[in-house]
Amino acid sequence: MPNSDVSKQKRIAAGIIGMLMIIVMLFSAFYISTETGHDCIGEDCPICACVQQCENVLHKIGGGLAFIISVIAPVICAIICAILFVSDIQKQTLISRKIRMNN
């Protein structure tokens, strides 16, 4: 049974690292999209330097795949949130709450 504990820990660590990579890609793509039309002050523009770093991160992680994931990931997150809160959205009735209705 010790191997199952180690493999479970590895799966959890891999899941956390994967989620962190997705978050980094999302924030990098979001920053690039928001700061694309900024007022550049010239060669030493700090915003241009940050945009360049975000582009480097996206290219190193996977290039086109990073852009696709950064577009699809918010949709998937919204679907997961909707699934988690579907019980709150559904109307509660006496029958769904299993309340006996006597005359």
Side-chain angles (χ1 to χ4, degrees), residues 23-41:
I23 289 170
V24 166
M25 287 188 305
L26 284 173
F27 284 128
S28 295
F30 178 73
Y31 185 79
I32 290 171
S33 66
T34 56
E35 296 297 334
T36 300
H38 75 280
D39 294 328
C40 190
I41 60 172

Side-chain angles (χ1 to χ4, degrees), residues 5-98:
D5 292 336
V6 172
S7 64
K8 185 176 181 181
Q9 291 174 351
K10 285 183 181 180
R11 281 187 282 155
I12 291 171
I16 290 171
I17 291 171
M19 292 300 290
L20 288 174
M21 287 180 65
I22 290 173
I23 289 170
V24 166
M25 287 188 305
L26 284 173
F27 284 128
S28 295
F30 178 73
Y31 185 79
I32 290 171
S33 66
T34 56
E35 296 297 334
T36 300
H38 75 280
D39 294 328
C40 190
I41 60 172
E43 189 175 320
D44 295 328
C45 181
I47 296 175
C48 290
C50 288
V51 168
Q52 184 63 35
Q53 286 179 351
C54 290
E55 288 175 352
N56 289 338
V57 166
L58 290 176
H59 286 292
K60 287 180 183 177
I61 289 178
L65 180 63
F67 178 72
I68 292 171
I69 290 175
S70 67
V71 171
I72 294 174
V75 174
I76 293 173
C77 290
I79 291 171
I80 290 172
C81 288
I83 290 171
L84 291 175
F85 297 113
V86 75
S87 63
D88 294 337
I89 296 171
Q90 290 178 344
K91 185 178 179 182
Q92 293 286 331
T93 64
L94 295 175
I95 295 172
S96 67
R97 294 177 68 195
K98 304 210 184 227

